[in-house]
Amino acid sequence: MQEVETYEMTDIPEYQMVSSKAALSKALKKCDGPAALDFETTSLSPADGRVRLVSICNKRVQILVDFDQIRGGFNGVAHLFGDGEWIVFNKGFELRWFIAAGCPKTRCRDVGNLRKAILGGGNYKLMQLLHWDLDIEMDKSEQVSNWAAAQLTQSQLDYAYLDADRTWRLWNYWSDQADADHWRCMAMFDNMVPAVIEMEETGIMLDVKQHKKLVKHWQVIKDEKTAAIRDMVSEDEVVKITSDAQWSDYFARNMPDSFLKGWTRTEKTGQLSMRGETLRKLAGAAPGTPLETFFDTLADFKTISKYLSSFGDSLTKKAELTKDKRIRARFNIGAAKTGRFSSSGPNLQQIPRDKELLGEHTSVRKSFVAGIGRKLVSLDYSGIELRVLALLSDDDQLLQDMVEGDIHSEVATRITGRTITKDSCKTNKDDKAARSAAKGVSFGIIYGSGAAGLAVNMRTSLDNAQGYIDFWADRYPNAFNLRYEVMDEVSRTKFIRMVDGGTVYMGAKPDLPKCSNYPVQRAALALLARAIVRHKHSLDALRERGRHRLTAFIASIHDALIDEAASADCEELLKIMEDDMVQGYLDVFPGAPIDNLVEGGIGPNWGELD
DNA sequence: AACGAGCGCGCG
DNA sequence: AAAGCGCGCGCTCGTT
């Protein structure tokens, strides 16, 4: 309490209160160019709240508007903002309120996105940026105060105005450093906001009954595994079977040094690693012994526990919180350093693929369904990172192998010396293993791996790994050399310039090997961004003409788009989506080959799309 | 009780 | 000179 009262008035810049439509109109006209804008609202969502205050700040105008003083409130005057250019932080928030007020075309630009265009992505709060960029400390204690109160306190008003002031200063700071390409990149991020709002508001339906059945089954398995483990190790020896640290202590106490010697250790604390992969390896090293059973059972337990804690009741509960049983996750634009999206609350980008789980086919994605009378429509860019690598590095051989066939089979064929195809992998186990190894090599190369890393990851000798790399570098010299060009650029400039015009700052002492994949990952994001914007426009145009009334954009997962639509509309929608994705790719790589670029289909749920 | 570090693991 | 990228989240455990 005391701290809030000692607020220093000298810190508050001067601003005018505006409480009439006429005064607001006059002030907005006076802005004459971009101005920072910030809302204080009575709730986080337009569905159950209203805009109480807007603060506006640029060189000419510094005002705070109380919409409770204006007839019709914010919604009655929102159209007055139609001519302006509004600088905001977290555009998704402000734009939602403009959309709800019937003004979806209001021009908002996100200062966070300008920063991302220059430094690279991240998921930051305004307070952090003010601290890092302007060395300003902000008191956010009023942020959650009651913005519906009849009489707002002076402290609330000052707080509300300050946000616009700070946003404006941040905007000036970053505009001064932006070049034309940075502005182009900022627009790429900004333009995705309407599509993201649609995805976040629509959500994806969970078949709660189906999912509960699945979770119940997992629970039975977990109970079995728990009992089996407890038969072998009592509570006296390991109190908590979910504790990796306790298992580490237990094995350190009970196993001979010869056994412990080869056990992988954790990075920071040097404990015995309890990764599933490590446990499986230990099991494999003791065939036919109780130890094999034990390590396998512990690994099984960890797997099923992961599914239960990450993809079990937490998803059901999220769905049951809503009336329509839909899960509404967030899609955070430019949240990754490379500019990729992240997803949170829940993270829909990490829902398990269908697979054999402990000996039986398991599909979590089947729990994510289309509504009644509807289907899901989904397309992926196929092998987009390798394709992008070929295009960025101008590697004709890699491009040809990507476009004309199956690159992993191609590499496998060259490495083994015998012809391997996707078909031959279906019948020949060795071919399948060789193709999988080839895949490992190509991904290793994309991620800038050396022979040592590749050897560990592929569980092969250093010589073998080096041989693979040599082969790859020989066949795809331009693609292979891209990493050296990127590292050279970073060591000279500390920045990487991306295909969309943005730059990524790698720090004063850049970690060179880390960044060789950044331009590739970023280019894949850039073409997805173009596809997202195009697709949103396509859907809006259809719906404005009264068609596709039930169609909605519901998700984007790195290289994929997902829609939900009335069954009768799906075939047409699939074609539209395909076109939007192809054109998005061509926006970034004009004239590039489009053969076999996208794949996917239509289905009743996320697990069955064909 | 709240928080951060460390670990592990799901996805592209 | 080196050298496998990018996320979010659940859990445990020590600290405050």
Side-chain angles (χ1 to χ4, degrees), chain A residues 297-549:
Chain A
T297 309
L298 187 55
D300 289 351
F301 172 81
K302 287 171 70 78
T303 302
I304 205 71
S305 298
K306 169 76 175 177
Y307 270 64
L308 274 163
S309 61
S310 293
F311 312 112
D313 290 339
S314 60
L315 290 179
T316 316
K317 286 211 178 89
K318 274 260 190 300
E320 284 182 328
L321 279 178
T322 66
K323 228 176 144 183
D324 53 9
K325 302 292 180 280
R326 298 182 81 94
I327 290 177
R328 290 179 177 78
R330 295 167 63 172
F331 291 92
N332 311 304
I333 296 169
K337 186 81 180 156
T338 55
R340 289 221 297 199
F341 278 93
S342 77
S343 166
S344 54
N347 178 357
L348 283 186
Q349 294 178 330
Q350 60 163 176
I351 301 301
R353 302 181 68 98
D354 292 12
K355 63 167 80 149
E356 285 287 313
L357 188 74
L358 311 188
E360 37 191 293
H361 179 79
T362 302
S363 174
V364 183
R365 293 188 177 193
K366 273 188 186 165
S367 297
F368 290 85
V369 299
I372 295 190
R374 304 180 205 194
K375 284 182 175 155
L376 302 183
V377 176
S378 174
L379 286 173
D380 301 10
Y381 285 109
S382 72
I384 195 61
E385 289 210 354
L386 278 165
R387 199 184 274 250
V388 156
L389 172 59
L391 291 164
L392 284 178
S393 63
D394 216 7
D395 194 306
D396 293 339
Q397 183 68 62
L398 180 56
L399 191 58
Q400 186 186 327
D401 287 358
M402 282 305 301
V403 169
E404 289 182 6
D406 172 40
I407 191 201
H408 304 311
S409 299
E410 195 62 42
V411 172
T413 298
R414 305 283 164 162
I415 288 174
T416 58
R418 65 173 191 279
T419 305
I420 291 171
T421 63
K422 265 188 176 170
D423 272 348
S424 80
C425 290
K426 283 177 194 159
T427 50
N428 187 323
K429 242 183 153 180
D430 290 341
D431 283 10
K432 196 176 172 181
R435 185 179 180 279
S436 163
K439 207 169 169 175
V441 175
S442 295
F443 275 99
I445 302 284
I446 281 193
Y447 299 149
S449 174
L454 198 60
V456 170
N457 216 271
M458 296 179 62
R459 293 177 212 92
T460 186
S461 71
L462 200 59
D463 280 353
N464 266 341
Q466 189 60 57
Y468 294 152
I469 292 177
D470 291 344
F471 160 78
W472 211 97
D474 186 51
R475 185 169 176 83
Y476 309 119
N478 290 3
F480 188 77
N481 283 329
L482 184 70
R483 64 166 71 174
Y484 299 111
E485 288 170 25
V486 176
M487 287 191 279
D488 180 58
E489 182 185 2
V490 171
S491 46
R492 280 185 292 110
T493 69
K494 317 296 179 201
F495 284 87
I496 312 175
R497 180 69 75 163
M498 301 299 181
V499 70
D500 49 61
T503 48
V504 172
Y505 179 55
M506 295 303 299
K509 289 179 187 161
D511 192 355
L512 296 186
K514 254 194 145 80
C515 60
S516 52
N517 185 47
Y518 282 27
V520 175
Q521 198 173 100
R522 177 58 164 272
L525 175 277
L527 57 90
L528 182 81
R530 294 295 315 168
I532 285 175
V533 172
R534 282 177 173 276
H535 195 52
K536 170 68 172 162
H537 286 162
S538 297
L539 299 188
D540 285 345
L542 285 167
R543 290 176 299 215
E544 271 168 32
R545 302 205 314 266
R547 307 189 54 236
H548 282 261
R549 289 174 188 280

Side-chain angles (χ1 to χ4, degrees), chain A residues 16-28 63-71 73 77 80-81:
Chain A
Q16 304 298 313
M17 287 301 302
V18 167
S19 48
S20 76
K21 183 174 175 179
L24 173 62
S25 182
K26 198 174 157 197
L28 295 185
I63 57 170
L64 182 61
V65 187
D66 185 349
F67 290 111
D68 279 10
Q69 313 279 321
I70 296 177
R71 196 170 331 120
V77 296
L80 296 176
F81 291 80

Side-chain angles (χ1 to χ4, degrees), chain A residues 267-283:
Chain A
E267 164 138 22
K268 305 279 182 191
T269 61
Q271 292 176 104
L272 301 172
S273 168
M274 289 298 145
R275 298 175 53 209
E277 190 197 346
T278 305
L279 297 175
R280 299 281 180 206
K281 210 162 67 188
L282 290 165

Side-chain angles (χ1 to χ4, degrees), chain A residues 76-123:
Chain A
V77 296
H79 63 278
L80 296 176
F81 291 80
D83 294 329
E85 181 184 345
W86 309 110
I87 308 307
V88 300
F89 178 76
N90 190 9
K91 172 175 167 177
F93 184 73
E94 269 76 14
L95 192 57
R96 270 177 165 82
W97 297 89
F98 279 117
I99 291 172
C103 303
K105 302 285 182 202
T106 312
R107 198 154 158 231
C108 296
R109 314 180 79 182
D110 192 324
V111 62
N113 284 342
L114 177 57
R115 188 182 193 273
K116 287 173 191 180
I118 296 172
L119 293 186
N123 210 356

